[in-house]
């Protein structure tokens, strides 16, 4: 990974992009070394061996942001990638895949998720994603970036976080007066950390759809959640479903 502070850019190796591979990477790099930089998508396609740099490779390069500066300069936005994709499929005289014909392509979240899936890198602006979704300003007043909250954690504070469920485990509390309570222990991934979230049975009993969101193995949704913070005797910071717990799919 190479950082360019002047242009506020981060560059990662082509081979780190899913499905690009060593062969395609070598073809691209060798051609650039031999004949200079690429100045447009059309020129790129004319100069590389299409049997090695195939449709899957080029599509993933576009989704990962490899053509952002080439096509739109340093001021490019991730949402510009739809225009690069349209140009590419027009050049190869093939129809644009259906997933890129939905209204979701207008949203930054759609492209950031694609990039993160292919490279493992990319910070998602959950607040902007929520604004694009039309989430109420009243709820977003409590939005907190976890990396900022953890610098000075506060006990019993209601905050709103963005992220996605990585894993869950259904558990029971230790008996208290002979009674145990069910809860979901959830691994919740934000931009900077993976958090522990406890969702209590009281909430799950009356919110069956939300429980399905947490438990679904197929669900890859990014979520906005309103949680209550807690800090135990050992200083461990956790999050649980409080009285105003909310879940919003972005």
């Amino acid at each position: 990974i190479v950082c360019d502070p002047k242009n506020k850019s981060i560059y990662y190796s082509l081979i780190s992009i899913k499905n690009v591979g060593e062969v395609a990477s070598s073809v691209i790099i060798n051609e650039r070394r031999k004949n200079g930089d690429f100045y447009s998508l059309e020129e790129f396609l004319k100069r590389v061996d299409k049997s090695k740099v195939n449709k899957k490779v080029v599509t993933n390069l576009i989704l990962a942001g490899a053509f952002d500066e080439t096509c739109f300069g340093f001021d490019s936005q991730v949402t510009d990638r739809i225009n690069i994709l349209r140009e590419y499929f027009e050049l190869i005289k093939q129809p644009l895949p259906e997933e890129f014909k939905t209204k979701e392509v207008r949203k930054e979240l759609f492209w950031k998720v694609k990039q993160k899936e292919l490279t493992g890198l990319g910070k998602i602006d959950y607040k902007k994603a929520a604004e694009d979704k039309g989430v109420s300003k009243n709820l977003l007043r409590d939005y907190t970036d976890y990396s900022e909250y953890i610098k000075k954690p506060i006990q019993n504070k209601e905050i709103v976080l963005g992220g996605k469920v990585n894993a869950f485990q259904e558990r029971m509390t230790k008996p208290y007066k002979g009674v145990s309570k069910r809860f979901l222990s959830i691994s919740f991934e934000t931009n900077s950390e993976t958090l522990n979230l406890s969702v209590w049975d009281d909430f799950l009993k009356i919110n069956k759809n939300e429980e399905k969101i947490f438990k679904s193995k197929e669900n890859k949704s990014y979520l906005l959640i309103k949680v209550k913070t807690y800090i135990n005797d050992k200083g461990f910071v956790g999050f649980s479903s409080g009285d105003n717990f909310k879940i919003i799919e972005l």
Side-chain angles (χ1 to χ4, degrees):
I1 297 175
V2 178
C3 297
D4 181 355
K6 182 180 178 181
N7 293 308
K8 298 180 180 179
S9 300
I10 297 176
Y11 302 92
Y12 36 85
S13 64
L14 295 178
I15 200 171
S16 69
I17 301 171
K18 189 176 180 181
N19 295 323
V20 171
E22 290 185 22
V23 173
S25 297
S26 295
V27 169
I28 294 168
I29 292 167
N30 289 337
E31 171 58 29
R32 187 177 63 187
R33 284 174 178 166
K34 184 179 178 181
N35 295 309
D37 291 343
F38 301 105
Y39 293 101
S40 71
L41 176 60
E42 185 174 8
E43 184 214 20
F44 172 85
L45 295 175
K46 289 177 179 177
R47 287 170 54 184
V48 297
D49 182 345
K50 294 181 183 60
S51 67
K52 303 291 192 301
V53 185
N54 59 30
K55 182 171 71 173
K56 183 69 172 177
V57 170
V58 177
T59 299
N60 283 5
L61 286 171
I62 293 170
L63 295 176
F67 289 96
D68 287 3
E69 290 177 17
T70 301
C71 296
F72 288 96
F74 290 113
D75 294 327
S76 64
Q77 304 295 319
V78 291
T79 49
D80 292 330
R81 292 173 192 170
I82 184 59
N83 295 318
I84 304 174
L85 276 173
R86 286 171 180 154
E87 179 187 357
Y88 173 59
F89 281 92
E90 284 176 10
L91 288 168
I92 64 173
K93 295 179 169 55
Q94 290 190 24
L96 187 70
E98 291 299 318
E99 68 172 314
F100 302 114
K101 294 180 180 179
T102 71
K103 62 181 181 181
E104 295 302 309
V105 300
R106 303 173 196 164
K107 300 176 181 178
E108 182 182 280
L109 178 65
F110 177 88
W111 301 101
K112 284 291 184 73
V113 169
K114 290 288 184 186
Q115 176 183 312
K116 201 163 188 179
E117 287 174 351
L118 292 172
T119 67
L121 299 171
K123 183 175 181 179
I124 295 173
D125 187 340
Y126 290 106
K127 188 173 184 180
K128 187 177 187 312
E131 290 169 346
D132 289 343
K133 177 85 174 179
V135 174
S136 72
K137 291 181 180 180
N138 186 48
L139 180 63
L140 289 177
R141 275 202 292 265
D142 293 325
Y143 178 81
T144 304
D145 188 298
Y146 176 77
S147 60
E148 292 301 316
Y149 167 77
I150 201 63
K151 291 176 183 177
K152 195 174 181 179
I154 301 172
Q155 179 76 286
N156 295 328
K157 180 178 174 63
E158 288 189 336
I159 62 174
V160 174
L161 297 169
K164 68 174 295 187
V165 175
N166 272 343
F168 76 90
Q169 184 178 9
E170 196 163 334
R171 302 178 64 184
M172 300 293 292
T173 62
K174 291 180 180 179
Y176 177 71
K177 295 184 178 180
V179 178
S180 294
K181 289 184 67 176
R182 180 178 77 107
F183 69 100
L184 288 182
S185 178
I186 294 168
S187 173
F188 191 73
E189 177 192 334
T190 67
N191 279 315
S192 56
E193 298 284 346
T194 298
L195 319 177
N196 292 312
L197 169 64
S198 301
V199 182
W200 297 100
D201 193 47
D202 294 347
F203 173 83
L204 298 172
K205 281 181 178 178
I206 58 174
N207 295 277
K208 299 295 183 182
N209 288 334
E210 280 79 355
E211 183 170 3
K212 288 178 182 177
I213 291 173
F214 286 132
K215 288 185 172 182
S216 173
K217 293 180 180 178
E218 293 77 26
N219 182 37
K220 295 181 179 179
S221 295
Y222 283 76
L223 309 173
L224 203 68
I225 57 171
K226 185 167 187 175
V227 296
K228 191 172 185 179
T229 66
Y230 66 85
I231 306 170
N232 68 14
D233 295 339
K234 296 180 180 179
F236 172 81
V237 178
F239 305 87
S240 68
S241 52
D243 294 337
N244 297 311
F245 184 61
K246 290 188 186 327
I247 308 169
I248 296 173
E249 289 189 84
L250 299 175

